[in-house]
Amino acid sequence: MNRRFIISFAGLFALLVILALLNLSMGSVRVEPGTILGIITGSEADPVSTGIIKEIRIPRLIGALILGGALSVSGFLLQTFFHNPLAGPFVLGISSGAKLAVALAMTFSLSAGFLLNSWVMIGAAFLGAMTVMLFILAVSGVAKSSAVLIICGIMAGYFCSALTELAVTFADDQNIVNLHSWSQGSFSGISRANTGVIVPAVLICMVFVFIISKPMGAYQLGEAYARSSGVSITGLKIALIILSGLLSAVVAAFAGPVSFVGIAVPQLMKGIFKTEKPVFMIPASFLGGAVFCLFCDLLARLVFAPVELSISVVTSIFGAPVVIWVMLGRKRAKEGMDNGR
Amino acid sequence: MEDNTVLSLDGLCVGYGKKQVVSDISFSIKAGETVCLIGPNGAGKSTILKTIAKMIPPVSGKAVLLGRDIRHIKETELARNVSCMFPQVPDTLYLTCSDIVENGRYPYTGMFGRLSGSDRDKVNESMEATGVTELAGRYFHTLSDGQKQRVMFARAICQEPKLLLLDEPASFLDIRYKLELLELIRKFSKERGTAVLFSMHEITLAGRTSDRMIAIKNGKVDSMGRPEDMLDPGHIEELYDLKKGSLKDGMLNGIF
Amino acid sequence: MRKLFYLLILCMILVTGCAQAQGSASSDSADEFFAGIKKTGGMELEHAKEFEVSYYGDDISLIDINDTGRYLLLNEGTVVPEGVPEDVTVIKKPLRHTYVAASSVMDLYRELGVLNNVEMTSTKYEDWSIEEVREALDAEDMFYVGKYGTPDFEFVLDCGCDLAIESTMIYHKPQTKEKLESLGIPVMVEHSSYEEDPLGRLEWIKLYGLLNDKLPEAEAFFEGEEKKLSKIRTYDGEKKKTAFFALTPQGAVNVKKEDDYVVKMIELANGEYVPKGDTQTIQMESFLAGAGDADILIYNATIYDEPEDLRTLISMNAGLKDLKAVRDGNVWCTKDDVFQRTTAVCDMTAELGEVISGNAQDDMRYFYRLK
């Protein structure tokens, strides 16, 4: 099992490097590999290609990589929490909360007199996501079962969507178009300054995720067994919700809601690595999410250039069949395993 | 207090919130002793076990483990002394049997759960003792129910408990596996001197395994004693509200 | 453990909060800067209220656009002065590679004959009704670079873009504006759509004339256009109630708000705009109530649904047949996408004047009668 893990991990890492290089070297403007190298080492002087690489491609690449990893881990955390393979970061209404906050910011910014710079939108999306997350946290303290919690999350999502529609009636047409395009998600606007916040935020969260990897493993045996091992269940549940919420809030803030990564990638990784242990699944999910998003973003950028596809369109096209295939594969694998191994 | 008392309950009342389920429980268990809780369904056997395991707070009274009030023992420390088994088995897909058994070392391993050499030895020992070594690499969910519970037992013992709490551990098993498990429990308890408190509704089987039986009924401890005494037909008829005379002689010697 | 998490959340909030605090610099320093330089004059504007231009010698102009910012325009070869405040965007002439994302501005460039200075647009070929733009796209003198919110930054940078002209819609995509600026491309957010006076909107051609060294031509054009409205000004008949509307797919009615420039056009043309109100989309009943007795009805068609005759229009929404204007046969329809033809505002207003005074022909350049 260890060998399988090392080989798969190495393979995935290699794929990451390849996709990162592809994303770095491909674009609507041709930049020679030699020039790219020069830009990275600082010897290249041409402002246009330097701008393209440093201000456009590298931030976007880092954004897709880190946020993709964050989403995937967020999904894994929730799937563990709910013992349900279909749980995803945006199932609990977190993206709806972000969307509502962005809608309010867009609709009322001009009339309320504050200028909508990108940090305001990011902050709004983040706050909206966190508010819903805190609501979920509160409910989880009171809810008797996970099913109740999921339903509350879904209802919160609907509630936020309804409020968003209400806010939008006061908006003029342009705002609605913008809101729609925001809610499809995009890595295109990520700037260097953005990556300065994204990278530390996600890495800090990941440190905490690793810290709870051990109790998560115990939790997989069921709440009763986890308790008897000495795990503080309430503490773990709070941690799972907060960390999952933070990770997906960061994604929603900087890239908008990106669908399917959180649901599809952890499942795919379990199938590849053939284990569920969090201490392996956490890095595997992160890596898988990074690879998946780099791949999807490459397609989103280039397939119909200069028109850019929203990232959710691509992730859904690839993610949905993956989920279906993995679900069916699970059933077959389960039967296959039953028949002897 | 005697030296080898592992668990001592003194006027313990268990329940949920304010609602008392069983009150005024007082008994103690020594090292190496196997004690079985019997009684009608819903009497509160599970509640008692869960309270001792600190999964539910006691309503009132005292439970003392190895000389210390369990209220003052932190859960992480408790886990080094007490391990449990439940009737439902975990529902997993990609966890192997050795993953499951390794989980028993949870209270002893470091931050990421890495097993040291001695941890690994203990895991292997437990698997050998329960006869599940060949199942180590197989996925847990592919096992039969009997095998699964044996693996869960291996996990419970590699946690190195002084007290083993088993809540209907053999409920869903075929007769063969019921017997197997009980045999394991008895062997383990005698060999390692672990105190065992378990609940079971197959009372005659329980009688063969335990040193003492405690009957719970109507919210209190109904009776306590050696199996031979407790399994008197008249007594059982009363305990389980059966019609007088329905348990003919010899029936309680059978296996059901 | 729990405390650690609250600390974590606090850190995250602080990080985003601090990032927000990167506000724009105060404009106190601006007054200092401009106190040191002598203002030598300003652009004469008769109708436009949303922008101002001050001249500082022959080579430096300061453009102040209401609500969107200030822009320092420098002639070719002029050294950037020291101490320019942070909120002032520097634009250097000559501007040969302009990215015009605000589609209404394109027509002004066309009129000035400087379309060759425009290299990038955010409106697709199929959506342009201006022939010269289509020709430029065909000849690859101009390129479609994607929507204003997600332009192909690499392409834009590679073109050597020296100015991006955006409409206020870019404010809902602040990331895009910031990204363009981080690439060294000055972004000017134009505000002409906020002009209440149609002539004010047209007067913005002087600003674009200034940017492209065609100011005299712009001023001459504007004067000429103003004269076209003389007939309207001498009209002494009564004001006719006029409605200007479009239909939504859901069967509701899109009308113009009171401060819309189409409303001003109608009023300039001696019409009284109905129905009054300041919501854009209303139910058919409200429309019938407000415009039931309108003398003239003008349907705002899109490129895709210009109705041939009155019957076709009524088939789109049966409620229309009860309107007075329908019974009297005073129903008109717009041609093309009138909003792209910014320079035609005076011609359009003149035609409206004809429609209102009752002297119009059935088929004119911008409007035709539905029979």
Side-chain angles (χ1 to χ4, degrees):
Chain A
M1 205 276 292
N2 257 332
R3 214 178 49 157
R4 190 194 186 104
F5 179 75
I6 292 175
I7 292 176
S8 308
F9 203 86
L12 215 50
F13 195 78
L15 207 54
L16 180 74
V17 172
I18 293 174
L19 279 169
L21 288 175
L22 278 178
N23 268 296
L24 193 59
S25 55
M26 289 174 78
S28 49
V29 174
R30 179 140 182 71
V31 183
E32 301 297 326
T35 321
I36 297 179
L37 203 59
I39 291 171
I40 296 178
T41 57
S43 60
E44 178 60 54
D46 173 32
V48 171
S49 34
T50 307
I52 289 179
I53 296 297
K54 278 188 154 178
E55 301 292 333
I56 300 175
R57 289 191 197 167
I58 289 185
R60 185 165 181 152
L61 184 146
I62 293 180
L65 199 160
I66 302 275
L67 295 178
L71 261 186
S72 181
V73 171
S74 170
F76 177 67
L77 293 176
L78 283 182
Q79 283 157 16
T80 305
F81 180 96
F82 287 112
H83 296 292
N84 187 325
L86 289 178
F90 296 133
V91 142
L92 289 182
I94 287 181
S95 66
S96 308
K99 185 174 175 183
L100 174 60
V102 168
L104 290 174
M106 277 184 183
T107 313
F108 295 114
S109 64
L110 292 178
S111 54
F114 65 89
L115 194 62
L116 197 72
N117 74 28
S118 69
W119 291 109
V120 171
M121 272 182 64
I122 287 168
F126 188 76
L127 281 176
M130 293 303 283
T131 307
V132 172
M133 189 212 78
L134 288 173
F135 167 72
I136 300 291
L137 203 55
V139 170
S140 78
V142 178
K144 296 286 181 201
S145 74
S146 294
V148 169
L149 191 58
I150 292 187
I151 290 178
C152 285
I154 296 176
M155 289 303 122
Y158 277 127
F159 183 69
C160 288
S161 297
L163 285 182
T164 307
E165 291 303 309
L166 189 61
V168 145
T169 49
F170 291 108
D172 49 59
D173 290 326
Q174 301 146 348
N175 293 1
I176 301 175
V177 166
N178 278 316
L179 188 64
H180 175 75
S181 76
W182 179 89
S183 61
Q184 289 299 101
S186 168
F187 292 118
S188 104
I190 294 184
S191 67
R192 259 217 289 185
N194 288 159
T195 57
V197 175
I198 291 175
V199 173
V202 170
L203 288 184
I204 291 176
C205 284
M206 289 305 293
V207 167
F208 282 93
V209 170
F210 268 107
I211 290 176
I212 61 166
S213 61
K214 187 182 166 199
M216 271 176 78
Y219 188 80
Q220 285 177 325
L221 265 58
E223 227 177 276
Y225 276 113
R227 257 222 177 89
S228 75
S229 296
V231 174
S232 156
I233 295 294
T234 21
L236 182 65
K237 284 185 165 177
I238 291 177
L240 282 173
I241 291 181
I242 289 183
L243 286 172
S244 163
L246 278 175
L247 286 168
S248 45
V250 171
V251 177
F254 287 96
V258 181
S259 40
F260 271 105
V261 180
I263 303 179
V265 176
Q267 294 308 314
L268 201 55
M269 293 300 110
K270 284 182 194 170
I272 293 176
F273 287 81
K274 296 272 189 267
T275 178
E276 278 180 314
K277 284 180 74 163
V279 75
F280 295 130
M281 273 297 105
I282 291 168
S285 297
F286 191 92
L287 209 53
V291 165
F292 187 68
C293 278
L294 277 177
F295 174 68
C296 290
D297 195 40
L298 196 63
L299 291 182
R301 269 198 300 144
L302 297 179
V303 167
F304 292 118
V307 174
E308 216 185 84
L309 294 174
S310 296
I311 189 74
S312 286
V313 169
V314 187
T315 55
S316 303
I317 290 179
F318 285 97
V322 163
V323 173
I324 295 173
W325 179 69
V326 168
M327 286 289 119
L328 292 177
R330 266 172 89 104
K331 191 167 186 304
R332 270 188 280 114
K334 216 168 177 164
E335 288 164 9
M337 289 185 220
D338 283 341
N339 289 332
R341 205 185 174 273
Chain B
M1 198 181 328
E2 289 153 16
D3 256 354
N4 57 355
T5 301
V6 172
L7 179 72
S8 169
L9 305 177
D10 186 8
L12 184 70
C13 298
V14 304
Y16 297 95
K18 296 273 170 55
K19 182 169 164 243
Q20 276 193 37
V21 176
V22 188
S23 58
D24 202 24
I25 311 164
S26 300
F27 65 85
S28 51
I29 310 181
K30 296 205 273 273
E33 236 195 315
T34 315
V35 178
C36 179
L37 293 174
I38 59 172
N41 268 343
K45 310 192 289 287
S46 252
T47 317
I48 296 175
L49 290 168
K50 285 185 184 154
T51 308
I52 298 172
K54 274 197 98 164
M55 294 194 197
I56 320 170
V59 176
S60 64
K62 238 164 64 160
V64 177
L65 180 75
L66 298 167
R68 291 170 61 199
D69 190 331
I70 60 159
R71 257 187 273 252
H72 304 141
I73 305 181
K74 282 174 63 171
E75 279 82 349
T76 40
E77 209 198 315
L78 193 71
R80 291 179 190 231
N81 292 301
V82 179
S83 79
C84 308
M85 256 181 86
F86 305 102
Q88 307 94 357
V89 288
D91 175 23
T92 68
L93 186 60
Y94 285 110
L95 290 181
T96 61
C97 293
S98 59
D99 289 333
I100 302 274
V101 179
E102 280 168 20
N103 180 262
R105 297 305 295 164
Y106 186 98
Y108 303 98
T109 52
M111 186 177 276
F112 296 111
R114 220 171 69 85
L115 297 172
S116 67
S118 73
D119 286 325
R120 201 151 282 294
D121 289 337
K122 298 214 166 71
V123 168
N124 293 334
E125 266 174 43
S126 314
M127 288 209 281
E128 254 194 75
T130 45
V132 295
T133 318
E134 348 49 275
L135 303 173
R138 279 181 58 179
Y139 287 123
F140 181 72
H141 72 274
T142 64
L143 269 46
S144 68
D145 284 340
Q147 289 171 317
K148 281 182 185 172
Q149 281 296 50
R150 267 200 287 157
V151 171
M152 297 314 292
F153 190 70
R155 178 199 162 279
I157 65 179
C158 94
Q159 204 170 329
E160 288 188 300
K162 311 277 190 314
L163 172 65
L164 201 52
L165 298 173
L166 309 168
D167 188 359
E168 306 274 353
S171 283
F172 303 123
L173 303 183
D174 287 339
I175 183 66
R176 166 176 162 191
Y177 298 118
K178 278 198 227 274
L179 292 172
E180 257 180 27
L181 190 62
L182 286 172
E183 188 51 47
L184 269 177
I185 292 173
R186 188 141 185 88
K187 194 175 89 159
F188 176 70
S189 161
K190 292 300 163 228
E191 281 175 11
R192 304 208 191 177
T194 314
V196 178
L197 179 63
F198 69 108
S199 69
M200 197 163 230
H201 50 250
E202 300 87 335
I203 52 180
T204 45
L205 295 182
R208 291 185 182 189
T209 322
S210 39
D211 299 312
R212 250 195 303 155
M213 293 176 99
I214 303 178
I216 309 288
K217 184 178 172 175
N218 288 336
K220 56 181 181 33
V221 174
D222 178 274
S223 42
M224 232 193 289
R226 297 176 313 158
E228 310 84 84
D229 303 325
M230 293 289 286
L231 290 178
D232 166 70
H235 180 235
I236 294 296
E237 277 167 10
E238 233 188 272
L239 182 61
Y240 286 94
D241 290 326
L242 301 172
K243 230 167 66 148
K244 249 188 149 20
S246 53
L247 288 179
K248 301 203 177 54
D249 269 330
M251 217 180 233
L252 285 175
N253 294 326
I255 301 170
F256 58 81
Chain C
M1 211 30 169
R2 218 179 271 208
K3 285 193 189 144
L4 270 175
F5 285 113
Y6 293 143
L7 183 65
L8 174 65
I9 300 182
L10 191 64
C11 286
M12 306 279 283
I13 295 180
L14 279 175
V15 162
T16 35
C18 283
Q20 274 188 43
Q22 307 170 16
S24 45
S26 70
S27 34
D28 295 336
S29 47
D31 298 321
E32 277 173 32
F33 169 71
F34 290 106
I37 309 186
K38 252 185 70 178
K39 179 170 165 176
T40 55
M43 186 184 281
E44 280 186 32
L45 296 167
E46 296 146 47
H47 297 270
K49 294 199 171 56
E50 296 290 318
F51 80 98
E52 276 177 8
V53 184
S54 318
Y55 300 126
Y56 296 83
D58 289 332
D59 292 323
I60 302 181
S61 322
L62 181 69
I63 304 164
D64 190 337
I65 300 184
N66 197 15
D67 277 349
T68 80
R70 301 190 294 171
Y71 308 87
L72 196 65
L73 183 64
L74 304 172
N75 276 351
E76 184 165 5
T78 314
V79 170
V80 181
E82 276 188 28
V84 177
E86 256 188 60
D87 67 306
V88 175
T89 309
V90 175
I91 305 176
K92 297 184 196 171
K93 286 202 262 189
L95 298 165
R96 295 281 139 76
H97 309 279
T98 317
Y99 168 28
V100 176
S103 58
S104 59
V105 172
M106 199 66 90
D107 197 39
L108 300 175
Y109 270 73
R110 180 202 56 80
E111 185 60 48
L112 293 170
V114 288
L115 264 186
N116 51 317
N117 283 345
V118 179
E119 225 179 312
M120 295 150 273
T121 171
S122 274
T123 310
K124 284 190 246 190
Y125 182 91
E126 308 81 66
D127 296 330
W128 277 112
S129 53
I130 300 178
E131 206 41 56
E132 291 89 330
V133 176
R134 283 188 163 203
E135 280 166 24
L137 287 167
D138 278 333
E140 293 198 344
D141 291 328
M142 200 190 295
F143 299 93
Y144 169 67
V145 293
K147 292 195 280 196
Y148 73 90
T150 49
D152 185 339
F153 292 104
E154 293 187 16
F155 190 86
V156 170
L157 183 61
D158 197 43
C159 274
C161 181
D162 39 32
L163 175 65
I165 301 179
E166 302 271 0
S167 70
T168 49
M169 291 213 278
I170 197 66
Y171 281 132
H172 295 124
K173 278 261 178 187
Q175 279 174 319
T176 306
K177 177 169 179 280
E178 288 165 18
K179 191 123 197 196
L180 286 170
E181 287 167 341
S182 75
L183 293 170
I185 299 171
V187 179
M188 183 167 91
V189 183
E190 69 106 40
H191 224 237
S192 62
S193 49
Y194 286 74
E195 294 283 358
E196 288 190 2
D197 186 346
L199 282 173
R201 193 180 277 215
L202 186 62
E203 204 166 13
W204 279 67
I205 199 172
K206 293 186 187 172
L207 173 63
Y208 299 112
L210 180 65
L211 290 175
N212 292 285
D213 296 319
K214 292 273 181 178
L215 186 54
E217 289 88 335
E219 287 172 333
F221 171 78
F222 185 72
E223 247 177 273
E225 290 297 299
E226 262 201 289
K227 294 205 173 75
K228 291 184 184 174
L229 298 183
S230 54
K231 195 168 174 200
I232 294 183
R233 298 191 207 285
T234 57
Y235 176 77
D236 59 358
E238 59 172 78
K239 278 178 163 312
K240 303 267 183 66
K241 286 194 179 159
T242 312
F244 188 93
F245 73 105
L247 291 170
T248 72
Q250 291 87 22
V253 183
N254 266 344
V255 294
K256 295 292 173 186
K257 299 194 213 185
E258 265 182 33
D259 55 359
D260 193 279
Y261 92 112
V262 170
V263 172
K264 301 293 177 205
M265 274 169 71
I266 289 174
E267 285 173 8
L268 253 184
N270 303 307
E272 183 195 333
Y273 180 80
V274 291
K276 304 214 193 304
D278 58 2
T279 358
Q280 210 174 350
T281 309
I282 60 178
Q283 298 302 318
M284 180 52 87
E285 293 99 53
S286 317
F287 182 70
L288 292 178
D293 61 344
D295 303 299
I296 297 167
L297 212 60
I298 306 177
Y299 178 65
N300 184 13
T302 64
I303 310 183
Y304 310 110
D305 72 345
E306 290 181 15
E308 289 178 345
D309 55 21
L310 200 49
R311 199 143 40 114
T312 319
L313 181 66
I314 294 182
S315 70
M316 292 187 203
N317 194 315
L320 294 171
K321 63 176 168 33
D322 297 321
L323 295 164
K324 171 176 181 251
V326 171
R327 294 195 303 266
D328 292 346
N330 275 327
V331 182
W332 298 79
C333 186
T334 60
K335 282 187 184 179
D336 289 349
D337 183 1
V338 298
F339 300 109
Q340 279 185 4
R341 302 206 172 270
T342 329
T343 49
V345 66
C346 289
D347 288 326
M348 283 193 258
T349 312
E351 274 188 26
L352 272 176
E354 302 287 281
V355 168
I356 289 172
S357 66
N359 298 327
Q361 299 170 328
D362 284 353
D363 189 12
M364 300 184 285
R365 173 65 187 86
Y366 297 103
F367 300 93
Y368 63 100
R369 190 195 290 266
L370 284 173
K371 291 195 271 225

